Amino acid sequence: MRIYTKTGDDGTTSLFGGQRVLKSDLRIESYGTVDELNSHLGLVLSHHPDPLLAAHIIRIQDLLFILGADLATPPDKSVRIDRISMADVALLEGMIDELDDTLPPLKSFILPGGSATSAGLHIARTVCRRAERILIEARKTDVISDEAVHLLNRLSDLLFVMARFENASKGIEDVKWTPR
């Protein structure tokens, strides 16, 4: 089987279920950004984060694949796929609580940085926020589930906590922002 199909040479692609849309469609942009986020998390894993974070990241990557399929499949299609649920959102909330409970309270804004792994998690967080903004915009013209939006909102919070946790696990202080 060849990797190229040439069917996208006209600037369109297929959603699950067969509907063809422009590659610039916000639904495509949304799951493309989720794919970008997943790739950043793969890069974070290559830096050998704390083992607990690595396990969480692998679980998150699985959720991002489900989210991508969810976004690529209009809800009115007869195609049966796993969809993001509130249980998935609750899973991320549990991860946030688990990690945050080990950290000192945040008393100031922090700048992205510290270890390379933490910086990578901050990059992933900003890509996650962009994906969330795209989903919000796509909802103006398309049906996007509340659960998908909630998942990205929680995930960006989780990635922030993970960046702090990674620095703490390596004995690296967060870079505090000092206003002028």
Side-chain angles (χ1 to χ4, degrees):
M1 174 181 197
R2 297 211 167 148
I3 191 70
Y4 56 89
T5 62
K6 301 182 184 181
T7 58
D9 289 350
D10 65 353
T12 64
T13 191
S14 290
L15 298 174
F16 289 168
Q19 176 187 357
R20 295 212 52 92
V21 297
L22 289 174
K23 290 182 178 183
S24 60
D25 185 276
L26 284 175
R27 186 176 281 279
I28 305 304
E29 185 69 23
S30 69
Y31 69 76
T33 306
V34 167
D35 186 36
E36 179 185 350
L37 170 58
N38 209 340
S39 296
H40 279 290
L41 291 176
L43 183 60
V44 166
L45 282 174
S46 76
H47 289 284
H48 308 289
D50 179 270
L52 177 60
L53 287 189
H56 285 341
I57 289 169
I58 291 166
R59 182 65 183 109
I60 292 164
Q61 286 187 300
D62 179 64
L63 284 175
L64 290 174
F65 256 84
I66 294 168
L67 177 59
D70 191 339
L71 295 171
T73 309
D76 60 338
K77 294 298 176 188
S78 62
V79 177
R80 300 287 175 233
I81 62 159
D82 284 339
R83 299 274 184 182
I84 293 299
S85 69
M86 288 310 291
D88 299 320
V89 175
L91 175 71
L92 297 185
E93 290 171 349
M95 290 178 186
I96 292 169
D97 294 343
E98 173 189 26
L99 298 174
D100 199 42
D101 285 347
T102 70
L103 297 171
L106 199 56
K107 295 183 180 185
S108 66
F109 289 106
I110 63 169
L111 299 173
S115 70
T117 305
S118 179
L121 287 162
H122 280 293
I123 290 170
R125 175 185 53 80
T126 64
V127 173
C128 186
R129 286 285 190 208
R130 179 166 26 101
E132 181 184 12
R133 291 190 302 271
I134 293 167
L135 254 63
I136 298 300
E137 187 64 26
R139 288 178 80 157
K140 291 179 180 177
T141 58
D142 213 343
V143 178
I144 305 288
S145 74
D146 289 342
E147 293 83 357
V149 175
H150 294 171
L151 184 91
L152 288 177
N153 187 274
R154 290 314 176 285
L155 180 54
S156 62
D157 292 338
L158 174 56
L159 292 168
F160 177 79
V161 171
M162 290 174 93
R164 290 190 67 219
F165 182 88
E166 178 63 16
N167 277 341
S169 75
K170 300 286 191 291
I172 299 171
E173 284 196 38
D174 287 319
V175 181
K176 291 179 178 69
W177 176 66
T178 307
R180 292 186 210 185

